[in-house]
Tab-separated table of all heavy atoms in Angstrom:
chain	number	residue	atom	x	y	z
A	82	GLY	N	32.879	-4.303	74.899
A	82	GLY	CA	32.635	-5.426	75.805
A	82	GLY	C	33.286	-6.737	75.407
A	82	GLY	O	32.833	-7.796	75.822
A	83	VAL	N	34.346	-6.687	74.626
A	83	VAL	CA	35.068	-7.902	74.256
A	83	VAL	C	36.426	-7.870	74.956
A	83	VAL	O	37.127	-6.867	74.903
A	83	VAL	CB	35.265	-8.008	72.725
A	83	VAL	CG1	35.993	-9.289	72.371
A	83	VAL	CG2	33.942	-7.929	72.003
A	84	GLU	N	36.773	-8.966	75.615
A	84	GLU	CA	38.080	-9.114	76.253
A	84	GLU	C	38.745	-10.332	75.651
A	84	GLU	O	38.092	-11.347	75.413
A	84	GLU	CB	37.922	-9.328	77.758
A	84	GLU	CG	37.216	-8.214	78.478
A	84	GLU	CD	36.913	-8.565	79.927
A	84	GLU	OE1	37.413	-9.602	80.425
A	84	GLU	OE2	36.175	-7.813	80.557
A	85	ALA	N	40.074	-10.255	75.427
A	85	ALA	CA	40.764	-11.400	74.835
A	85	ALA	C	42.246	-11.376	75.170
A	85	ALA	O	42.826	-10.323	75.433
A	85	ALA	CB	40.577	-11.420	73.329
A	86	GLN	N	42.832	-12.562	75.128
A	86	GLN	CA	44.267	-12.744	75.200
A	86	GLN	C	44.600	-13.879	74.242
A	86	GLN	O	43.944	-14.921	74.254
A	86	GLN	CB	44.727	-13.098	76.612
A	86	GLN	CG	46.231	-13.257	76.715
A	86	GLN	CD	46.689	-13.574	78.132
A	86	GLN	OE1	45.989	-14.234	78.889
A	86	GLN	NE2	47.884	-13.114	78.470
A	101	TYR	N	41.866	-16.807	74.414
A	101	TYR	CA	40.927	-16.822	75.529
A	101	TYR	C	40.087	-15.551	75.400
A	101	TYR	O	40.624	-14.483	75.136
A	101	TYR	CB	41.666	-16.796	76.864
A	101	TYR	CG	42.622	-17.946	77.047
A	101	TYR	CD1	43.971	-17.820	76.734
A	101	TYR	CD2	42.167	-19.162	77.538
A	101	TYR	CE1	44.849	-18.877	76.907
A	101	TYR	CE2	43.035	-20.218	77.716
A	101	TYR	CZ	44.375	-20.071	77.394
A	101	TYR	OH	45.241	-21.124	77.575
A	102	TYR	N	38.782	-15.652	75.587
A	102	TYR	CA	37.942	-14.474	75.394
A	102	TYR	C	36.775	-14.455	76.363
A	102	TYR	O	36.436	-15.457	76.988
A	102	TYR	CB	37.415	-14.421	73.952
A	102	TYR	CG	36.513	-15.588	73.613
A	102	TYR	CD1	35.163	-15.576	73.960
A	102	TYR	CD2	37.020	-16.710	72.987
A	102	TYR	CE1	34.345	-16.652	73.678
A	102	TYR	CE2	36.208	-17.788	72.699
A	102	TYR	CZ	34.883	-17.754	73.050
A	102	TYR	OH	34.078	-18.831	72.784
A	103	ARG	N	36.169	-13.292	76.431
A	103	ARG	CA	34.909	-13.078	77.154
A	103	ARG	C	34.138	-12.045	76.337
A	103	ARG	O	34.680	-11.026	75.939
A	103	ARG	CB	35.179	-12.565	78.557
A	103	ARG	CG	33.925	-12.434	79.395
A	103	ARG	CD	34.264	-11.951	80.775
A	103	ARG	NE	35.327	-12.792	81.311
A	103	ARG	CZ	35.315	-13.363	82.496
A	103	ARG	NH1	34.320	-13.148	83.304
A	103	ARG	NH2	36.302	-14.107	82.922
A	104	ASN	N	32.855	-12.313	76.085
A	104	ASN	CA	32.041	-11.430	75.251
A	104	ASN	C	30.847	-10.917	76.050
A	104	ASN	O	29.867	-11.623	76.236
A	104	ASN	CB	31.554	-12.174	74.004
A	104	ASN	CG	30.632	-11.345	73.151
A	104	ASN	OD1	30.577	-10.131	73.275
A	104	ASN	ND2	29.901	-11.999	72.260
A	105	THR	N	30.940	-9.677	76.494
A	105	THR	CA	29.807	-9.067	77.206
A	105	THR	C	29.177	-7.966	76.354
A	105	THR	O	28.501	-7.090	76.879
A	105	THR	CB	30.268	-8.481	78.557
A	105	THR	OG1	31.265	-7.494	78.325
A	105	THR	CG2	30.802	-9.566	79.472
A	106	SER	N	29.378	-8.051	75.034
A	106	SER	CA	28.865	-7.019	74.125
A	106	SER	C	27.349	-7.086	73.956
A	106	SER	O	26.744	-6.136	73.481
A	106	SER	CB	29.526	-7.147	72.751
A	106	SER	OG	29.082	-8.333	72.097
A	110	LEU	N	29.267	-12.873	68.234
A	110	LEU	CA	30.385	-12.404	67.425
A	110	LEU	C	31.053	-13.584	66.728
A	110	LEU	O	30.713	-14.736	66.973
A	110	LEU	CB	31.421	-11.689	68.303
A	110	LEU	CG	30.949	-10.499	69.116
A	110	LEU	CD1	32.076	-9.990	70.010
A	110	LEU	CD2	30.439	-9.393	68.206
A	130	ILE	N	31.360	-16.901	68.645
A	130	ILE	CA	31.506	-16.406	70.010
A	130	ILE	C	30.125	-16.027	70.523
A	130	ILE	O	29.528	-15.066	70.058
A	130	ILE	CB	32.442	-15.165	70.061
A	130	ILE	CG1	33.754	-15.428	69.323
A	130	ILE	CG2	32.654	-14.714	71.487
A	130	ILE	CD1	34.610	-16.507	69.903
A	131	GLY	N	29.628	-16.802	71.470
A	131	GLY	CA	28.319	-16.512	72.045
A	131	GLY	C	28.384	-15.338	73.007
A	131	GLY	O	29.455	-14.867	73.382
A	133	GLY	N	27.571	-13.458	76.702
A	133	GLY	CA	27.562	-13.839	78.105
A	133	GLY	C	28.872	-13.511	78.773
A	133	GLY	O	29.861	-13.156	78.142
A	134	ASP	N	28.869	-13.681	80.072
A	134	ASP	CA	30.027	-13.323	80.877
A	134	ASP	C	30.992	-14.498	81.053
A	134	ASP	O	32.051	-14.351	81.630
A	134	ASP	CB	29.545	-12.817	82.244
A	134	ASP	CG	30.626	-12.058	82.977
A	134	ASP	OD1	31.498	-11.470	82.310
A	134	ASP	OD2	30.607	-12.065	84.219
A	135	GLU	N	30.627	-15.686	80.568
A	135	GLU	CA	31.473	-16.862	80.736
A	135	GLU	C	32.674	-16.799	79.798
A	135	GLU	O	32.524	-16.493	78.621
A	135	GLU	CB	30.680	-18.141	80.463
A	135	GLU	CG	29.622	-18.430	81.492
A	135	GLU	CD	30.192	-18.644	82.879
A	135	GLU	OE1	31.199	-19.360	83.035
A	135	GLU	OE2	29.631	-18.055	83.830
A	136	PRO	N	33.858	-17.114	80.290
A	136	PRO	CA	35.026	-17.134	79.414
A	136	PRO	C	34.974	-18.322	78.463
A	136	PRO	O	34.355	-19.344	78.760
A	136	PRO	CB	36.197	-17.261	80.385
A	136	PRO	CG	35.632	-17.761	81.654
A	136	PRO	CD	34.181	-17.383	81.681
A	137	GLY	N	35.630	-18.177	77.327
A	137	GLY	CA	35.690	-19.251	76.347
A	137	GLY	C	37.049	-19.263	75.693
A	137	GLY	O	37.914	-18.446	75.999
A	159	PHE	N	38.056	-10.068	66.416
A	159	PHE	CA	36.668	-10.237	66.846
A	159	PHE	C	35.798	-9.199	66.161
A	159	PHE	O	36.102	-8.003	66.196
A	159	PHE	CB	36.556	-10.073	68.371
A	159	PHE	CG	37.295	-11.141	69.124
A	159	PHE	CD1	38.656	-11.032	69.361
A	159	PHE	CD2	36.626	-12.263	69.583
A	159	PHE	CE1	39.346	-12.017	70.050
A	159	PHE	CE2	37.308	-13.254	70.279
A	159	PHE	CZ	38.670	-13.133	70.504
A	170	LEU	N	37.915	-5.984	68.163
A	170	LEU	CA	39.142	-6.193	68.938
A	170	LEU	C	40.098	-7.053	68.128
A	170	LEU	O	39.683	-8.004	67.461
A	170	LEU	CB	38.820	-6.900	70.260
A	170	LEU	CG	39.996	-7.140	71.209
A	170	LEU	CD1	40.562	-5.822	71.734
A	170	LEU	CD2	39.573	-8.020	72.377
Side-chain angles (χ1 to χ4, degrees):
V83 181
E84 301 172 10
Q86 182 178 33
Y101 302 95
Y102 64 83
R103 185 179 309 229
N104 176 17
T105 60
S106 69
L110 302 175
I130 310 296
D134 197 28
E135 292 298 315
F159 295 83
L170 182 66

